[in-house]
Amino acid sequence: MKKLTIILIFLLMFSFVISGCGDKSSQTSEPAPSQTSEPAPVDQSPKPGGTLKLFVSSVSNIGFPSTMGAMSDGWVSSVALETLFRFDLQGNVVPLLAKDWKADYEAKTITIMLNKGKGIKFHDGTDFNAEAVKWNLDTYRSSQKPELKKVTSVDVVDDYTVRLNLSSFDNSIITYLTGNAGRMISPTAFENNGQEWVEQNPVGTGPFQFVSWTKDVNVKFKRFDEYWGGKPYLDGVEWVFYKDQLVAQMDILAGNLDAMAVPDPENMKEIETTGKFNTVFTNDTLQPVLMPDTKNTNSPFAKLEVRQALSYAIDQETLAESIGMGYFRPQNQLAQPGTWGYNPNVAGYPYNPEKAKELLASAGYPNGFDTTLTYFAYNKTVTDSVTALQQMLKQVGINAVQNPVTRANYIELGNKGWDGLLRVHLPSSPDPLVTLANFSAGQQYVSMYVPDEFVQKFDKAVNEVTFEGKQKAVQELMSVVDKYAIWSFLPEERTITAKSKRVQDDWYGEMPNRYINPMVWLSE
Amino acid sequence: MLNYIIKRAVLTVVVLFIVSFITFSLIHILPGDPAAAMLGDQATMEEIEALRHELWLDRPFFVQYGHWLSNALQGDFGKSIMYRVPVSEIIAERLPVTLYLSFLSLILSTFIGIGAGIICAIRRGSLIDQIVSVVANAGVAVPIFWLGLLGIYVFGFTLEWLPLQGWTSPFDDFLKSSKQALMPVICLSVTGSSIITRQTRSSLLEVIRQDYIRTAWAKGMGEPRVVFKHALKNALIPVVTLVGLQLRVLVGGAVLTETVFNIPGMGRLLVDGALAKDFLIVQAGVLLIAVMVSLANLITDISHGWLDPRIRYD
């Protein structure tokens, strides 16, 4: 018995020792985790605190949507100024400050119901309601901005319902309300302080409240505790200005910055090799195209065969691989694969220099011709891409002289006209009708000929009431662009965002308009 | 002396007028529409035309210049196209930053330059003279932006001794501000200290060959007394001119340094203004720099008289 007691005590002590030395997993029936060099898995429960630091190059107005110019104005302000609608990760329009919407094609109205049960308030304590929405939409309409031109008036139906009366039906209006046209600011803040003040001090309903804007240094926002969507986890969001991309890159590698868009794929490769960052893409990327001066009857590009030859001469695969280092994608239409507007039947113009030469010969240019290739040289990737493109065009006989211009000059050429080819970066939206609207109206890129069929199909698409009808019409529109070779596609320059692995549930860099999830949190 | 100062003040006004006209002309010659640049890629022609009218860009060139000049004379430099706030407000924010960095680097480059120049001159041909001369020649040649990026990489990124970039006012956090300012100030000082070193060395070498210096040696004076009391004062006249001219170099340097180190100063403001065709910013900024350079030249001229009483301006 004594011997048995000693053995039992020994076994008991041994089991204690074993259990004390073991980790938690060994105390359960689950297998012990294997030893790898991977970092320990992040605790997935959200943690409060911390400031999210994001890169931005410049802004000029972060508080008054009617006069916002650069896209970055909207991105920076978005944490404070929410929109009526937003896109989801698939590019569908979903409500944000709105609850729902209803279109009436016959009556030419769109009725928007607001989130009334949430008690939404602006950061200055005033109520967000139908009157505030009407004031915002009327203010935007009174500016020169084109998005709400078809809205003739806005009626307040009740405290939480507004009705948009239209001159002609346009289903893109809801899409426009995901952007600056639908960005809501406090009317009281405007009336008390004036436009100049509001441009510098955003007062909205967003999860973060404006703190300060030190020009060319940073814009700081702090948590808005009364946020209608729940108390945000972060203490704040800070946008940090950088003039030099290289310095910003060193700062993110040093851990001083949480996320930045990296325009140079070569730099992105370097960042990726550290293994400390996630690489994400958004589906509202820049879509570069070569826009010919087709309206000029003396231009070789006025002939369809020449435009087709131009497209056949471009080796998109090589450009995407060499200049885009695999981050860029060849494209043959504005809608991207996987989105609702994408037409799988569009064949495009796969690289075929021999065919390009044949087409040029049949158009009366057997020896090719000289032209100008004008582009806004905003980064190294663009200049490298244009140089490669120049060589490709030369191979089929199109001798393009490079003409790099400044941003101001590029915009002016788009509005007033150009000779030869203009490299245009189309600010693509998940809804292609938004991108195409200005072409249809002939407001921008005035040297480009817009076929009647394009205008008819566009009008049909914006008039569709059902989603299915709109989808079909947009896909037909993609075919029309292809049929007339209205422009030549270059590889899609996807916005690559490098993001620290500590940033959780943020959607930044994945969601269109750089929308940030209010419930973003930092794991450390 | 008073007459001289009045004459110079009148001339400065003429110079400023010419500078403002040339700047206005140059910025208008540049291709691109400032209104279009301000409104972005998606702006309509109506929007652009409305803004052009608001900014007086749809008027003839001389009407625009006259409008700008009459407002400027009343202290109104207009509202920035880029920032949508009065230009004077932005300059009031930016100028102290550039002046602070320029002042520190001017002091640093003067002390290092004169000190190193004296050592090289009195130890002519020695190893230290050769080393300093090589470093000074390299310092004149090295591009500031490259030096800045190298500094950020070595001292900020690799060694983590200093912040990579940024700006904090010394009144808000002196320690942080000093750490952030160290690399930019050194970068700004490199060219200036190198030029001053070379000038001090050659100037002092010329002076110490003079008879009165030989006499001082013959009288049995010590080296410090001969160099600092008798030789240096005369040798410094061209050096003072050079220090005065450094202001222009510092402004040029500020453009690069502030861009690389992400500092919101006048240099970066001018670069951004020129790129965005914010002619109101560029116009006011250039005019201000012209005033500063004119003042620096005046002070330099006056200090010549103090250093060498034989110099008279009347």
Side-chain angles (χ1 to χ4, degrees):
Chain A
M1 187 65 193
K2 197 179 172 185
K3 228 177 186 178
L4 187 68
T5 310
I6 291 168
I7 291 168
L8 279 172
I9 290 170
F10 179 75
L11 283 173
L12 197 66
M13 284 173 69
F14 182 72
S15 67
F16 279 143
V17 170
I18 294 293
S19 63
C21 291
D23 58 17
K24 277 190 173 180
S25 61
S26 66
Q27 292 169 27
T28 67
S29 58
E30 288 186 15
S34 59
Q35 295 285 320
T36 66
S37 57
E38 288 289 312
V42 179
D43 177 6
Q44 289 305 308
S45 55
K47 290 174 186 167
T51 298
L52 180 70
K53 291 191 172 183
L54 303 165
F55 161 91
V56 67
S57 57
S58 70
V59 291
S60 59
N61 161 19
I62 57 170
F64 191 57
S66 302
T67 52
M68 283 180 181
M71 285 193 284
S72 52
D73 290 355
W75 301 339
V76 171
S77 68
S78 65
V79 293
L81 307 182
E82 289 181 307
T83 46
L84 290 173
F85 296 88
R86 67 170 176 82
F87 287 110
D88 65 10
L89 286 168
Q90 287 72 44
N92 302 308
V93 176
V94 292
L96 182 57
L97 283 171
K99 192 173 68 182
D100 203 359
W101 64 285
K102 204 168 68 184
D104 186 336
Y105 180 77
E106 293 301 324
K108 291 187 280 188
T109 60
I110 293 175
T111 305
I112 299 171
M113 284 71 84
L114 307 176
N115 260 319
K116 67 175 171 184
K118 306 271 188 177
I120 303 174
K121 287 196 180 294
F122 288 106
H123 299 150
D124 60 0
T126 55
D127 289 332
F128 169 77
N129 52 27
E131 284 294 345
V133 173
K134 176 180 163 53
W135 181 90
N136 273 282
L137 297 179
D138 283 344
T139 305
Y140 201 87
R141 285 174 51 234
S142 65
S143 71
Q144 306 281 339
K145 300 273 183 188
E147 293 100 312
L148 302 182
K149 265 193 173 163
K150 288 184 182 171
V151 179
T152 52
S153 63
V154 180
D155 297 333
V156 173
V157 178
D158 62 40
D159 279 356
Y160 294 98
T161 310
V162 291
R163 184 173 53 235
L164 278 58
N165 301 306
L166 314 175
S167 56
S168 59
F169 190 79
D170 186 344
N171 56 36
S172 301
I173 285 176
I174 292 297
T175 309
Y176 289 130
L177 296 178
T178 62
N180 289 340
R183 215 174 279 289
M184 297 290 117
I185 69 164
S186 162
T188 312
F190 182 90
E191 279 151 19
N192 291 344
N193 304 290
Q195 182 180 325
E196 201 170 292
W197 185 88
V198 167
E199 284 180 347
Q200 314 288 314
N201 297 270
V203 184
T205 59
F208 297 96
Q209 191 173 356
F210 175 71
V211 176
S212 64
W213 175 8
T214 309
K215 301 277 186 305
D216 290 342
V217 178
N218 56 28
V219 185
K220 289 181 178 174
F221 295 90
K222 67 175 181 183
R223 181 178 58 237
F224 180 47
D225 288 333
E226 285 83 47
Y227 180 58
W228 61 277
K231 191 174 169 182
Y233 295 113
L234 290 181
D235 292 333
V237 173
E238 181 180 341
W239 293 86
V240 188
F241 293 94
Y242 291 88
K243 199 72 204 160
D244 194 311
Q245 277 277 341
L246 202 58
V247 179
Q249 191 181 323
M250 280 196 252
D251 238 0
I252 197 170
L253 289 172
N256 300 327
L257 201 60
D258 291 311
M260 69 177 286
V262 186
D264 189 340
E266 211 174 314
N267 291 346
M268 190 64 225
K269 281 279 178 219
E270 280 175 34
I271 293 173
E272 267 194 340
T273 53
T274 64
K276 293 178 184 171
F277 300 91
N278 290 320
T279 309
V280 292
F281 304 95
T282 176
N283 54 0
D284 62 345
T285 55
L286 288 179
Q287 290 182 297
V289 297
L290 287 184
M291 221 169 256
D293 60 339
T294 30
K295 257 191 192 167
N296 175 7
T297 46
N298 298 324
S299 166
F301 298 109
K303 292 183 178 174
L304 175 64
E305 292 96 327
V306 176
R307 296 200 298 276
Q308 289 174 329
L310 178 70
S311 292
Y312 277 123
I314 301 167
D315 185 355
Q316 286 202 59
E317 296 282 349
T318 301
L319 285 174
E321 277 306 313
S322 57
I323 310 290
M325 301 190 83
Y327 294 113
F328 296 174
R329 290 189 301 199
Q331 56 177 352
N332 60 20
Q333 57 188 293
L334 278 183
Q336 293 164 44
T339 63
W340 57 267
Y342 184 77
N343 184 345
N345 299 320
V346 170
Y349 299 88
Y351 179 56
N352 190 341
E354 291 311 315
K355 192 159 187 179
K357 283 178 192 168
E358 282 171 26
L359 283 163
L360 283 178
S362 67
Y365 298 100
N367 301 318
F369 57 89
D370 295 338
T371 189
T372 308
L373 173 50
T374 304
Y375 63 101
F376 170 30
Y378 55 91
N379 65 27
K380 180 178 163 288
T381 308
V382 173
T383 48
D384 288 352
S385 166
V386 168
T387 304
L389 189 62
Q390 191 184 25
Q391 292 307 311
M392 289 174 187
L393 299 184
K394 197 174 182 180
Q395 280 180 5
V396 300
I398 302 173
N399 298 308
V401 178
Q402 287 192 33
N403 178 29
V405 295
T406 62
R407 180 172 179 264
N409 198 15
Y410 163 75
I411 295 171
E412 190 178 22
L413 288 169
N415 285 313
K416 293 186 176 168
W418 68 92
D419 289 325
L421 296 166
L422 180 67
R423 186 188 188 275
V424 172
H425 46 274
L426 297 173
S428 164
S429 162
D431 182 348
L433 293 183
V434 169
T435 309
L436 297 173
N438 287 339
F439 301 116
S440 169
Q443 289 169 335
Q444 274 188 317
Y445 309 114
V446 294
S447 296
M448 188 190 70
Y449 167 67
V450 182
D452 292 342
E453 191 181 351
F454 177 92
V455 178
Q456 286 158 11
K457 293 277 184 195
F458 178 85
D459 289 343
K460 182 173 178 283
V462 296
N463 275 300
E464 291 289 345
V465 180
T466 63
F467 173 75
E468 290 72 22
K470 180 175 177 176
Q471 183 178 28
K472 191 170 173 243
V474 166
Q475 290 183 354
E476 282 172 13
L477 200 54
M478 298 297 111
S479 296
V480 174
V481 174
D482 183 60
K483 179 180 161 187
Y484 289 96
I486 295 178
W487 52 67
S488 297
F489 285 99
L490 298 172
E492 173 201 6
E493 289 177 8
R494 296 199 289 174
T495 308
I496 323 161
T497 300
K499 208 160 53 176
S500 164
K501 287 186 174 171
R502 76 181 192 132
V503 186
Q504 307 290 326
D505 300 336
D506 57 300
W507 305 340
Y508 181 76
E510 297 164 81
M511 196 75 89
N513 298 335
R514 304 278 168 97
Y515 180 76
I516 301 171
N517 180 9
M519 294 300 137
V520 52
W521 56 283
L522 301 173
S523 62
E524 23 178 294
Chain B
M1 178 64 86
L2 187 65
N3 284 342
Y4 175 75
I5 292 172
I6 292 168
K7 264 189 216 166
R8 284 293 299 264
V10 172
L11 272 175
T12 302
V13 172
V14 176
V15 167
L16 293 181
F17 178 77
I18 295 167
V19 166
S20 75
F21 185 77
I22 292 173
T23 315
F24 202 85
S25 309
L26 286 177
I27 202 96
H28 278 72
I29 288 169
L30 285 175
D33 182 355
M38 178 183 173
L39 292 170
D41 299 12
Q42 298 302 299
T44 60
M45 276 314 284
E46 290 87 6
E47 270 185 284
I48 293 167
E49 286 309 323
L51 187 63
R52 282 178 62 77
H53 185 73
E54 188 189 322
L55 296 170
W56 281 63
L57 293 170
D58 54 353
R59 273 73 151 192
F61 173 79
F62 286 103
V63 176
Q64 287 183 50
Y65 179 68
H67 173 71
W68 176 84
L69 192 64
S70 67
N71 284 341
L73 288 172
Q74 296 166 58
D76 177 9
F77 290 97
K79 196 173 159 186
S80 159
I81 296 173
M82 273 193 303
Y83 298 106
R84 298 164 200 246
V85 289
V87 170
S88 50
E89 205 176 284
I90 303 170
I91 288 179
E93 281 173 15
R94 302 299 183 92
L95 187 62
V97 177
T98 301
L99 285 180
Y100 174 71
L101 294 176
S102 302
F103 180 69
L104 288 180
S105 67
L106 193 64
I107 291 176
L108 189 68
S109 56
T110 306
F111 271 93
I112 292 175
I114 293 177
I118 292 170
I119 292 168
C120 288
I122 60 179
R123 297 281 178 269
R124 187 187 176 196
S126 67
L127 183 65
I128 192 159
D129 176 32
Q130 287 171 27
I131 291 170
V132 172
S133 296
V134 169
V135 172
N137 284 329
V140 174
V142 70
I144 292 180
F145 74 91
W146 178 82
L147 201 66
L149 287 172
L150 192 70
I152 288 171
Y153 183 73
V154 175
F155 299 106
F157 185 70
T158 309
L159 300 172
E160 297 181 12
W161 290 352
L162 294 168
L164 291 166
Q165 53 81 30
W167 165 257
T168 307
S169 165
F171 299 108
D172 293 340
D173 184 340
F174 185 74
L175 190 66
K176 190 179 176 189
S177 170
S178 304
K179 280 183 176 177
Q180 286 176 330
L182 192 59
M183 271 200 284
V185 166
I186 290 173
C187 284
L188 269 177
S189 309
V190 166
T191 311
S193 54
S194 303
I195 293 170
I196 294 170
T197 299
R198 296 198 318 176
Q199 182 60 53
T200 307
R201 182 183 180 273
S202 65
S203 190
L204 198 58
L205 280 175
E206 201 178 311
V207 170
I208 55 180
R209 288 194 204 108
Q210 302 281 324
D211 289 347
Y212 74 95
I213 298 294
R214 198 178 300 119
T215 308
W217 287 119
K219 282 166 76 180
M221 281 183 191
E223 187 178 74
R225 198 177 157 109
V226 172
V227 172
F228 290 102
K229 186 171 167 62
H230 294 285
L232 193 59
K233 200 173 174 186
N234 283 331
L236 276 184
I237 293 171
V239 177
V240 167
T241 309
L242 212 58
V243 171
L245 293 174
Q246 280 306 301
L247 191 70
R248 272 174 261 176
V249 179
L250 287 173
V251 171
V255 170
L256 299 167
T257 317
E258 289 171 6
T259 302
V260 171
F261 289 99
N262 227 12
I263 296 168
M266 282 299 291
R268 190 168 156 197
L269 182 70
L270 282 172
V271 172
D272 289 347
L275 289 175
K277 276 209 83 181
D278 191 340
F279 63 95
L280 295 168
I281 288 269
V282 177
Q283 190 76 358
V286 170
L287 202 64
L288 191 73
I289 289 166
V291 171
M292 284 161 50
V293 171
S294 299
L295 276 176
N297 287 348
L298 186 63
I299 293 166
T300 308
D301 287 352
I302 294 167
S303 62
H304 282 167
W306 173 75
L307 283 167
D308 186 351
R310 290 171 303 176
I311 298 172
R312 287 288 175 266
Y313 297 102
D314 291 332

